[in-house]
Amino acid sequence: WLQGHVAPTDQSGFHFYIRSMSKGYDSCKATAEGSVTVCEVLDDMPFGRFHIAHLTFAILAVSVLAIPYEMTPYMFPGLQIHFGAGREELSTFAAAFQAGCAFGTFVAPVLADRIGRKPTLTFSLTAAALLSYASATARSLHMLLVLRTVSSAIWAIAWNTVSPWYIEFLPTRTRGAMLTALSLGWPVGRGISICCSNYFHSDWQKLQELPAIAMLLLAIGTRFIHESPRFLAARGRTDEARQVLQEVHRSNGSEWNSKCQLCLDDSSTQSMDERTWQELFSPDYVGRIAFCWTLFSLLSCTTILIDTWGPLIYQHLLFPHRTVLPHGLLMLFNVGDFVGLIISVCVIDFIGRKGGFVVGFFVQGCILLTLSGVHGQAHRLGHYSLYVQSMLGVMAASCRSFAWEGAVMWTLEAFPTPLRTAALCSSRVFMQLMAVLTLKVSADYLANYAAVQWLQLFGGCLFTAGVIVTIFNPQETAGQPLAEGGARSRVASASRDSRSSRTSCDQASSP
């Protein structure tokens, strides 16, 4: 019964797990000619050891890459002591990372779509590790800014390659939950940053050396991962894609029928060399890419500002007489973010991307506005004031991932394989350029407004962003198969049952 059961397309992803527990499921059984696309092979592969190992490595990669990003505000005290940096210099230090990321994000799709996901990861992680270690030897703030900008550019190449590489192995039914699970590594990396900051205090050199060692070890680990079969198929390297799929099935403890022919849909036969960024502006995709750029720009005006100035704002809000960051409270907020990610994994495919945006923007904004109101009535709450405000901060932090991961998932799901990395990277370029602007502008007003006013500003911006995203969201992408080709792929996928629409099948090898 397990082998014969096929879950309806409108049912939850749990049917996939029930169906996939049969290790004898045959990827080619459903097709008369024994020919399938990469998407169908991955969708029909039983959930097993490979998926667990794939998710584990990806979470580890995100944890490592989160450390240099989240370390920014925790290096401020050390820079103030060693270089006498003021708010202007600190904002420049934070903006330098975003500026470098903008350049690296622009370069990432060129490398990832030309030489492959795996080689790009190995190269960028190694180079970022070396540059991060070199940054720890800087003797002046200007030298540190230059090295930080260059290292962040290389960091961005690795960061923008991880998500496309990871998602291109995932089955359609559980893609949302597994992609959200990837982000569990981010609060782990942030937690490492907080703990190291608490341990090393103002020693900013040690805080630079830590991510260098971690990224170098991760680069060594990339030797044991597979290249994306979707990328290989889109490049016309079907023999290599077939080999990867066979190795993946073998590591998963399942078998892939050797008589099965690996096919591409009609539009996937177009080489990725023929794709250009100009196709993002074709009538089929111009609305989607405009929404992506708007969405990520809104994140730069909200989430990135909270990540950068949040520790200082919460210090002045809840502990105005302290001169050090409240590491315990910040770790509590980090736990809230981790819990929010776990909740997101469980519900993201049920509420869809639109529901995720509602929680990430509307709900988080309302909680921050409530927190600012509670702070104004702190005298009435007495000793319970700090507890109530801390819990509201944890609740707000738990909503953060819904907006952030929803934006990444929507972008990855809305575009086909040849354009997926370019779409995500161009969106992040917009986000990082906007972040440079907002960080510099906000630094000029940081000391002129009270912490509670900044909370009100953040809450209002999040609420406004929620309105914009809700109105202009062009489509729901949750539960839809990833397109392997370009604009014409929808025609092929609409006639999926008609095998005559497929071309460029590689011949199956003999058993």
Side-chain angles (χ1 to χ4, degrees), residues 118-153:
K118 179 180 175 179
T120 301
L121 269 178
T122 304
F123 160 75
S124 56
L125 286 170
T126 304
L130 297 176
L131 286 168
S132 181
Y133 186 82
S135 299
T137 64
R139 293 294 180 263
S140 67
L141 184 60
H142 293 292
M143 181 184 295
L144 177 62
L145 290 175
V146 171
L147 289 172
R148 181 169 175 79
T149 303
V150 178
S151 64
S152 64

Side-chain angles (χ1 to χ4, degrees), residues 210-415:
L210 174 68
I213 297 173
M215 286 189 290
L216 186 59
L217 293 176
L218 184 63
I220 297 174
T222 58
R223 179 180 179 274
F224 304 100
I225 65 176
H226 297 286
E227 179 60 277
S228 164
R230 295 182 192 267
F231 164 79
L232 294 172
R235 293 284 294 185
R237 296 155 59 180
T238 53
D239 289 338
E240 296 177 60
R242 181 185 181 82
Q243 181 180 358
V244 169
L245 291 172
Q246 288 176 332
E247 293 176 357
V248 164
H249 275 76
R250 188 182 305 113
S251 65
N252 200 47
S254 58
E255 295 183 359
W256 184 36
N257 194 336
S258 59
K259 297 180 181 180
C260 197
Q261 297 180 15
L262 183 61
C263 299
L264 307 176
D265 61 35
D266 181 59
S267 61
S268 295
T269 60
Q270 182 179 359
S271 171
M272 290 180 72
D273 291 332
E274 301 172 26
R275 307 285 184 179
T276 66
W277 284 52
Q278 294 178 354
E279 189 170 345
L280 290 174
F281 304 100
S282 66
D284 295 280
Y285 300 118
V286 64
R288 302 182 198 180
I289 197 62
F291 176 74
C292 288
W293 290 351
T294 302
L295 180 60
F296 278 81
S297 297
L298 292 173
L299 286 174
S300 72
C301 299
T302 53
T303 304
I304 291 182
L305 284 183
I306 295 175
D307 288 344
T308 303
W309 302 124
L312 289 174
I313 290 174
Y314 278 112
Q315 175 190 340
H316 293 302
L317 182 74
L318 302 178
F319 305 96
H321 302 296
R322 291 189 181 182
T323 58
V324 296
L325 296 174
H327 293 95
L329 181 65
L330 295 174
M331 182 60 78
L332 183 63
F333 290 168
N334 189 50
V335 172
D337 186 19
F338 187 81
V339 173
L341 280 167
I342 295 176
I343 296 174
S344 179
V345 170
C346 299
V347 304
I348 194 64
D349 281 332
F350 297 96
I351 65 177
R353 307 300 171 255
K354 293 182 179 180
F357 293 145
V358 169
V359 176
F361 288 113
F362 279 119
V363 177
Q364 184 181 187
C366 290
I367 293 176
L368 289 180
L369 291 174
T370 303
L371 174 56
S372 64
V374 170
H375 182 76
Q377 302 297 322
H379 62 281
R380 296 186 178 183
L381 297 174
H383 297 296
Y384 296 100
S385 173
L386 179 60
Y387 174 79
V388 173
Q389 293 181 77
S390 299
M391 288 302 101
L392 286 172
V394 170
M395 293 171 60
S398 67
C399 298
R400 173 188 180 278
S401 63
F402 284 86
W404 192 269
E405 303 311 321
V408 174
M409 284 189 287
W410 194 96
T411 305
L412 292 173
E413 294 170 339
F415 295 89

Side-chain angles (χ1 to χ4, degrees), residues 6 9 13 15-17 19-22 25-28 36-48 50-51 167-176 178 229-230 245 248-249 252 256 479-484 496:
V6 178
T9 56
H15 288 90
F16 170 79
Y17 291 107
R19 179 169 174 246
S20 65
M21 288 302 104
S22 171
Y25 185 82
D26 186 353
S27 305
C28 299
V36 292
T37 63
V38 175
C39 181
E40 289 173 322
V41 174
L42 294 174
D43 281 352
D44 291 333
M45 185 175 67
F47 186 88
F50 167 76
H51 298 91
I167 196 175
E168 288 170 2
F169 283 91
L170 302 185
T172 300
R173 288 183 180 275
T174 55
R175 184 178 63 235
M178 291 190 68
R230 295 182 192 267
L245 291 172
V248 164
H249 275 76
N252 200 47
W256 184 36
Q480 301 299 318
L482 290 180
E484 295 177 21
R496 190 168 211 154

Side-chain angles (χ1 to χ4, degrees), residues 433-470:
L433 291 177
M434 284 292 296
V436 172
L437 177 62
T438 54
L439 285 171
K440 293 297 294 181
V441 172
S442 62
D444 294 334
Y445 297 95
L446 189 62
N448 299 331
Y449 295 93
V452 66
Q453 292 177 303
W454 278 104
L455 279 184
Q456 293 170 348
L457 177 62
F458 289 153
C461 288
L462 284 166
F463 193 89
T464 304
V467 173
I468 295 173
V469 170
T470 301

